[in-house]
Amino acid sequence: PTSYDVRAVEEKWRPVWDELQPFRADDDSPREKKYALTMFPYPSGDLHMGHAEVFALHDVVARYWWQRGYEVLNPMGFDSFGLPAENAAIRNDEHPATYTKANIAKSIESCQRYAASFDWSRTFNTSDPEYYRWTQWLFARFYERGLAYRKKSPVNWCPQDQTVLANEQVVAGACERCGAEVTKKELTQWYFKITDYAQELLDGLDDLEKTWPDRVVTAQRNWIGRSEGAHVDFVVQGREEPVTVYTTRPDTIFGTTFMVVAVDAALADELVTDAQRPAFEAYRDEVRRASEIERLATDRPKTGVDLGVTATNPVTGEQIPVWATDYVLADYGTGAVMGVPGGDQRDWEFATAMGLPIVRTTEPPAGFEGEAYAGEGLAINSPAPGQSAALNINGLDVDAAKRATIDFLEEMKAGTGAVNFRLRDWLLSRQRYWGAPIPVVHCPEHGEVLVPDEQLPVELPELRGADLKPKGTSPLAAAEEWVNTTCPTCGGPATRDGDTMDTFVDSSWYMFRYCSPHETDRVFDSEKVNAWMACDLYVGGVEHAVLHLLYGRFFTKVLNDMGLVDFREPWLAQLNQGFVINQGKKMSKSLGNGVNLGEQLEAFGVDAVRLTLVFAGPPEDDIDWANMSPDGSLKFLQRAWRLSGDVTSAPGTPAEGGDVALRRVTARTVHDAAELVESYRFNVVVARVMELVNATRKAIDSGPGGADPAVREAAEAVAVLLSLVAPYVAEEMWERLGHEPTVARAGWPAVDPALLVEDTVTAVVQVKGKVKARLEVAPDIAEADLEALALADADVQRAIGDAAVRKVIVRAPKLVNVVV
Ligand code: ANZ
């Protein structure tokens, strides 16, 4: 036959692999361990092209590690709590588990057909009570350490999904999931104290930057948002405690002409005079009606209300007015800002709108035509001519001026140097049903009480359809039988916490659980986790740059502090795949340009689809399916397969006596493929295998022929290399070459280093017409290199002696003639 039957080959090998279980990770294996993790999916349907891409890319590395002799942990599960299942359940009047289970079954079936090398013996779903029991257990440990707490504050509220959102889930003012405009609501919510780890989360990036994609590292740095500056205390009329502001530019204090307080902060409400209260309240109502998008728009005119009190500038003693505004954020810094219109554009606009004075305190460069100047320069007006102050920083550059001001403030006890982070605590409670219940009981007598460990999991009550409709409070809170319970401390009547946890809590620790997924009496076996982890590679979407990837790092640090794991970073290296798009655009229902994975697999087979995705380009790049040719991939696979039928030497024939030219190509290909996989250049690996297939075909048809052992060696290398990308055809080739399954565990082909040494030629060096040296050089050596090499040779130098070199004639690569 000149081609194989794609469908028949797929159907033939699947049951064999099911039997062999070649990818089951053995905890007790003496081999060196590797952990290859790819982000587990939400089961919101069957697998799609995006999954096909990421699983194909990820599998190259996982399968490569097996071939290299490692014991590989490559697990897969499902992030199965969350809104898609809940919304579907409301639509179809069913239980979210119904939808979840059906999608998981479909996805597992597809993954197996796709021959992704996952170890299915370790799979779990985060919505399994056996899993979320431990999510709750971890919450309890965080609570005990003071890392989980409740507070009332204005939170992001999605009016569509009727739930709060973490800052990380608000994208450009809109709900990350449904796109609705997010508003603010004052609510008591649960938080994880991720801010305790802000500095460490930042510092860890210095190491990760070597093995993580730049854009992820940058996104995390920006999200953590460390800035250095000072807290400055302003005495405010009629208030005992001073008002503290956070500033990154304490050196601009001489230009502070007003103070602005966040209108929605309690401080504003507290400071406002009776006379100004009506105006203040009217303004606050107006602001609350505005959406986050409007509030954050930079081109929006500045608004505010004078609170009617004044503050004293601690350096100049001047009285400045205190205003409330919406451009100051309540939950950043201290919620109060010293207004420096000369140095901050927002303050400039505010001062201009309100008719407040503007004083420059940094000399802008000549010709500066902007408004506020925030750049480098020397301090001026600090103090201004005629102004008296105990501090004088005129003439200092920004850094020196900052330091001098902080020193002064510290001495006066009116301020301190301070570091600030943009990172907020992680709001983890959700008013939705399909999540892990928060394991806390509220007792009128004892307040918040943790549900005792032995009573975990706190299982979800059986609710379905209309019971799940968002009402602004959790559907759990309305499930009376479930909510009403007794206090674990006193046994008196109490109520369960009605919120569930953000699904990002579930996915913050799943990588640990895979190491010992069946534990029933502990969260995981620390010994096994320490043996497998940290993950050697994490493959997934860049959209998780700040959410999941920051939370997982935070969890790891806490688990390390608890003594449960012996490392502080969970993912040593990371690879982000690009998107699969179609006709230049993201696939979407409205554009009708979606590509159905199942149809592609039907038409071209698993191997050709996988090969196409891997061969498309560097993994980080987007793949436009419209420009791809799975048909071309299939043709190539048929060509590769034909080689296996043309090998006529017996299996096990030593290759030593075989055709050297072909042996060199094979050795070079195998050698380079390893380096290419390790640097994630999978597409180049495919290109090199294509070249090897061509070279082998030529050797069979017009070279030494199919009986030459070098041909067998080459065809076997093709099968092993293809097993990383196209497992079905690779297995079929392997069988035709006379081997037992499975090629996936055949082992990386041995490379004789002698075959990697390039051919050399002998260059003759003559001095005064006599041969003085013979040099072994590369056939493509450049003339200049050959000349330098010749003149540097000791015998040549001796022959030249003190004579002056008149001319050097070079005929690369064979001859150098030195004329003296
Ligand atoms: C005076 C000043 C003068 C400032 C100047 C800047 C330039 P980052 O780097 O983001 O930390 N700020 C402080 N708290 C704020 C809040 N809650 N809402 C809005 N703005 C706030 O920025 C810190 C700077 O942002 C602070 O430094 C403060 O303005 C402002 F020439 O203080 B600055």
Side-chain angles (χ1 to χ4, degrees), residues 227 246-248 252 327-329 332 337-338 343-344 346 422:
S227 69
Y246 174 70
T247 176
T248 46
T252 63
Y327 77 86
V328 172
L329 307 171
Y332 185 68
V337 170
M338 59 186 226
D344 185 300
R346 295 161 302 179
R422 196 168 292 282

Side-chain angles (χ1 to χ4, degrees), residues 225-228 230 245-253 256 260 262 326-347 361-362 372-374 420-422:
R226 183 184 197 272
S227 69
E228 274 178 36
V245 303
Y246 174 70
T247 176
T248 46
R249 293 292 303 273
D251 57 305
T252 63
I253 189 141
T256 303
V260 258
D326 66 356
Y327 77 86
V328 172
L329 307 171
D331 61 356
Y332 185 68
T334 63
V337 170
M338 59 186 226
V340 184
D344 185 300
Q345 186 60 26
R346 295 161 302 179
D347 295 344
T361 53
T362 308
Y373 177 68
N420 209 43
F421 293 93
R422 196 168 292 282

Side-chain angles (χ1 to χ4, degrees), residues 139 143 148-151 164 187-192 425-431 438-442 448-450 497-500:
F139 174 93
Y143 182 85
Y149 69 95
R150 278 206 313 170
K151 75 171 176 201
V164 302
L187 283 173
T188 300
Q189 297 288 316
W190 286 98
Y191 291 83
F192 277 142
D425 277 341
W426 169 10
L427 197 175
L428 73 104
S429 39
R430 296 290 180 276
Q431 290 69 51
I438 290 176
V440 167
V441 163
H442 300 279
E448 292 162 2
V449 184
L450 281 178
D497 197 288
D499 287 349
T500 52

Side-chain angles (χ1 to χ4, degrees), residues 495-506:
T495 53
R496 292 191 186 281
D497 197 288
D499 287 349
T500 52
M501 293 187 230
D502 181 4
T503 57
F504 279 106
V505 181
D506 310 329

Side-chain angles (χ1 to χ4, degrees), residues 211-266:
T211 45
W212 278 31
D214 287 344
R215 51 185 176 170
V216 174
V217 171
T218 305
Q220 292 214 354
R221 285 213 174 100
N222 290 340
W223 189 260
I224 297 167
R226 183 184 197 272
S227 69
E228 274 178 36
H231 282 138
V232 185
D233 298 334
F234 286 73
V235 173
V236 172
Q237 186 190 3
R239 191 174 191 266
E240 207 158 309
E241 280 286 295
V243 171
T244 304
V245 303
Y246 174 70
T247 176
T248 46
R249 293 292 303 273
D251 57 305
T252 63
I253 189 141
F254 292 91
T256 303
T257 55
F258 58 94
M259 178 190 280
V260 258
V261 177
V263 59
D264 42 357

Side-chain angles (χ1 to χ4, degrees), residues 583-598:
Q583 296 164 349
K585 298 201 176 66
K586 221 181 142 178
M587 293 186 200
S588 78
K589 274 210 185 97
S590 59
L591 290 173
N593 66 342
V595 174
N596 181 289
L597 173 62

Side-chain angles (χ1 to χ4, degrees), residues 57 81 83 178 235 348 371 401 447 468 579 635 657 692 695 707 726 799:
L57 296 170
F81 270 140
L83 286 179
C178 72
V235 173
W348 177 287
E371 297 175 335
L468 306 175
F579 289 105
K635 285 203 184 102
L692 178 57

